[in-house]
Amino acid sequence: MRDTAGTTTGLRERKKERTREALVDAAQELFLRKGYDATTIDEIVAAVEVSRRTFFRYFAGKEEVALARAMEFEALFLDALTSRPADEAPLTALRRAGTEVFARVAGEERDGAGREFLHMRRLIEDTPVLLAASLRNMIESERRMAEEIARREGLTPGTDRRPALLVTLYHSVMRVAMDEWIEGEVLEVAGLARLIDDTWDDMGVLLTGRWTAGEIRRS
């Protein structure tokens, strides 16, 4: 007799993932079309044809579903950082983990993904409750990243400031690059990856070289 238990479990898990993705997509479409405050959970579940009970199996509320994509990206990055070779310097590990995640996202990028990201970022920044939640998530993400850097370097988290400083520097570079990317006309992931590399180059010069208001002098 063929054992179907494993197959059934696999199908069930794939169905759960499809339901979660459908809820995120529907929520984002409604948020962008109607606004965050004007959108209700009832409208989100109606768009996917599931119950409120199903929604709350995946998300604590509107706030969490609105930030789902950003949280997924942070989780991917932390996994990539944890998987980097142990002999890599901390900053190298951070940069290569970021490159790895962006390459993966670029490979999966669907039509309009960049534009959707832009609009959701603006929605988050223009919605106080989402902006506050996003900042809380970023702080928690930085804490986990610093803990991972400390683990890799054999340091005790909380007693050595270097991992926290490095992670703060990393996020500062990413934020500046992201803002510049959003202000541009071409919203594609490969372009963002190149912009991040350029921003890191500039940061290296700022930290170790001389610069003026008019130019950056590279040695």
Side-chain angles (χ1 to χ4, degrees):
M1 179 182 296
R2 186 166 62 92
D3 183 5
T4 61
T7 301
T8 301
T9 301
L11 290 172
R12 186 180 300 118
E13 292 303 315
R14 288 195 293 273
K15 181 178 179 181
K16 287 181 179 178
E17 185 62 24
R18 286 196 300 270
T19 301
R20 183 186 184 280
E21 288 297 298
L23 285 167
V24 173
D25 288 342
Q28 291 195 353
E29 191 278 329
L30 285 164
F31 293 152
L32 294 176
R33 179 162 53 85
K34 296 185 58 179
Y36 177 79
D37 291 330
T39 299
T40 66
I41 292 176
D42 285 337
E43 289 174 314
I44 296 171
V45 300
V48 185
E49 298 183 341
V50 297
S51 66
R52 286 175 60 91
R53 182 177 180 181
T54 297
F55 177 91
F56 286 111
R57 287 189 191 131
Y58 299 97
F59 306 104
K62 284 200 309 178
E63 182 180 293
E64 189 172 312
V65 74
L67 299 175
R69 296 290 183 229
M71 294 173 69
E72 289 168 8
F73 185 89
E74 294 292 346
L76 285 174
F77 178 84
L78 188 60
D79 286 344
L81 177 61
T82 303
S83 301
R84 295 307 306 170
D87 60 349
E88 280 185 344
L91 182 56
T92 300
L94 285 168
R95 291 189 62 176
R96 290 181 177 172
T99 299
E100 178 183 329
V101 173
F102 276 114
R104 176 174 174 180
V105 172
E108 299 175 354
E109 187 176 25
R110 65 187 187 278
D111 293 341
R115 188 70 53 183
E116 178 185 274
F117 175 87
L118 166 64
H119 292 318
M120 281 302 299
R121 181 179 170 95
R122 286 177 175 167
L123 175 72
I124 290 170
E125 291 179 347
D126 292 340
T127 307
V129 65
L130 292 182
L131 181 58
S134 179
L135 291 173
R136 288 196 302 271
N137 289 341
M138 185 182 71
I139 291 171
E140 176 61 19
S141 175
E142 288 186 348
R143 183 190 64 77
R144 292 196 299 268
M145 290 167 61
E147 286 180 349
E148 175 57 22
I149 293 296
R151 183 195 67 78
R152 291 170 57 88
E153 298 302 303
L155 304 174
T156 302
T159 62
D160 192 307
R161 69 173 65 94
R162 288 174 293 176
L165 286 171
L166 186 65
V167 168
T168 300
L169 173 65
Y170 176 83
H171 268 145
S172 296
V173 170
M174 294 295 290
R175 185 167 57 253
V176 169
M178 193 77 70
D179 288 344
E180 186 174 336
W181 178 69
I182 286 175
E183 291 174 0
E185 296 181 358
V186 181
L187 293 172
E188 47 92 17
V189 176
L192 175 57
R194 290 191 296 271
L195 183 57
I196 289 171
D197 285 339
D198 290 343
T199 308
W200 272 114
D201 290 342
D202 287 346
M203 176 61 81
V205 175
L206 295 179
L207 291 175
T208 61
R210 298 194 53 147
W211 58 286
T212 69
E215 64 178 346
I216 292 178
R217 299 174 184 173
R218 292 184 173 84
S219 57

